[in-house]
Amino acid sequence: MSFVTSFYEKHLLQQVTKYPSPEHVSLVLSETDLLQKGGFKKLKDYILWCRQLGVKIASIYIDVLDTEEILKSEMIDKLTSKLKEILSKTPNDVGYEIYEENGDVSSKKEGKGVQVYVSVGFGGRREVTNAVISILKKVKEGKIKASEISEKDIESNLVMKYEPDLFIRSGGKHLSDFLIWQSIYSEFYFTDVNWHDLRKMDIIRIIRDFQKRQRRFGK
């Protein structure tokens, strides 16, 4: 990093730390983003950047592209194993949970700092479908009437209980179905910077852009 770049990064950091950062930042990646050289290290760096910028929750979706079930399952196992290795090396105050394709928690660690939630191939459509199935079971058991089902019932059965303030998609790609229920009022930021080239400065700029926006929450 050149002196000029370092100076500018510090200048940006001073600007954003004057104002509240988004509490929950969500990021969408593809399996190829992580599997390229330095991809997992970049993920660890990203988590540490969020930690420094005062982000309380960092949710991350890994889009698994393989369509054949056996290959997809093998890829999920490979990614999950590497994620466990990387996240276990983060500072003690970083807590995390890794979710597998069916929504089960594969690995977790308690932490009092930034909380990291990584979903490997477990998208929003599957999450909402599972929530509906859980509610239907309760209806069948007589615990709730069908006419009484509300949005709160669906929300209480979702895996991820937190709504993102900011949703980031790197590389200028299309958005996935991650957190489709929870992100209805989120601010979205699409960057043309590829994951491999993403820098701390880019994340600071994204946070600064968020701070300048006037959120309307659907109004």
Side-chain angles (χ1 to χ4, degrees):
M1 181 186 296
S2 67
F3 172 78
V4 175
T5 302
S6 177
F7 179 81
Y8 182 57
E9 182 181 291
K10 291 180 179 178
H11 172 68
L12 288 176
L13 188 59
Q14 289 176 347
Q15 286 185 330
V16 299
T17 52
K18 292 179 181 178
Y19 306 97
S21 290
E23 289 194 6
H24 181 181
V25 178
S26 195
L27 172 72
V28 176
L29 300 172
S30 68
E31 61 181 66
T32 53
D33 289 325
L34 289 182
L35 294 177
Q36 64 181 318
K37 185 178 180 180
F40 283 98
K41 181 183 181 302
K42 180 75 66 167
L43 182 63
K44 182 181 178 182
D45 290 341
Y46 169 77
I47 292 170
L48 297 181
W49 297 338
C50 287
R51 176 175 175 257
Q52 182 182 2
L53 290 166
V55 174
K56 302 300 183 185
I57 300 173
S59 58
I60 302 162
Y61 178 63
I62 313 301
D63 192 5
V64 181
L65 306 178
D66 290 306
T67 55
E68 188 175 335
E69 283 303 316
I70 295 178
L71 294 177
K72 186 173 184 179
S73 179
E74 291 176 350
M75 178 57 67
I76 289 174
D77 289 342
K78 179 179 180 180
L79 292 170
T80 300
S81 177
K82 188 63 177 178
L83 285 166
K84 290 178 183 178
E85 177 186 339
I86 294 297
L87 290 171
S88 66
K89 296 178 181 178
T90 54
N92 290 334
D93 65 331
V94 176
Y96 65 83
E97 292 184 7
I98 302 175
Y99 294 93
E100 296 181 332
E101 187 185 14
N102 58 4
D104 290 338
V105 177
S106 171
S107 180
K108 64 186 298 184
K109 186 190 84 172
E110 299 295 332
K112 296 183 178 180
V114 60
Q115 300 298 305
V116 182
Y117 298 93
V118 186
S119 176
V120 186
F122 180 64
R125 285 178 291 185
R126 174 72 66 86
E127 184 182 25
V128 173
T129 299
N130 289 355
V132 171
I133 292 173
S134 296
I135 294 172
L136 291 177
K137 287 181 179 178
K138 294 178 182 179
V139 172
K140 186 177 181 179
E141 294 169 355
K143 296 180 179 179
I144 184 176
K145 294 181 180 179
S147 59
E148 297 174 344
I149 298 174
S150 66
E151 291 182 5
K152 290 184 178 180
D153 292 305
I154 295 177
E155 290 170 356
S156 65
N157 283 278
L158 295 174
V159 173
M160 179 65 71
K161 308 297 182 185
Y162 311 102
E163 298 179 358
D165 298 299
L166 175 61
F167 221 110
I168 303 173
R169 185 56 157 119
S170 67
K173 301 175 184 177
H174 63 82
L175 195 63
S176 75
D177 74 333
F178 184 49
L179 301 182
I180 53 175
W181 181 282
Q182 299 92 326
S183 64
I184 186 66
Y185 297 133
S186 302
E187 293 294 321
F188 289 82
Y189 192 101
F190 294 85
T191 172
D192 291 331
V193 180
N194 291 320
W195 177 245
H196 178 74
D197 300 318
L198 195 70
R199 304 164 298 174
K200 180 180 177 181
M201 183 187 300
D202 298 309
I203 299 300
I204 296 174
R205 284 172 171 166
I206 293 172
I207 298 295
R208 184 182 62 172
D209 179 88
F210 171 85
Q211 292 172 334
K212 291 180 178 180
R213 297 185 187 186
Q214 182 179 0
R215 300 187 68 186
R216 299 185 179 276
F217 297 97
K219 298 179 181 179

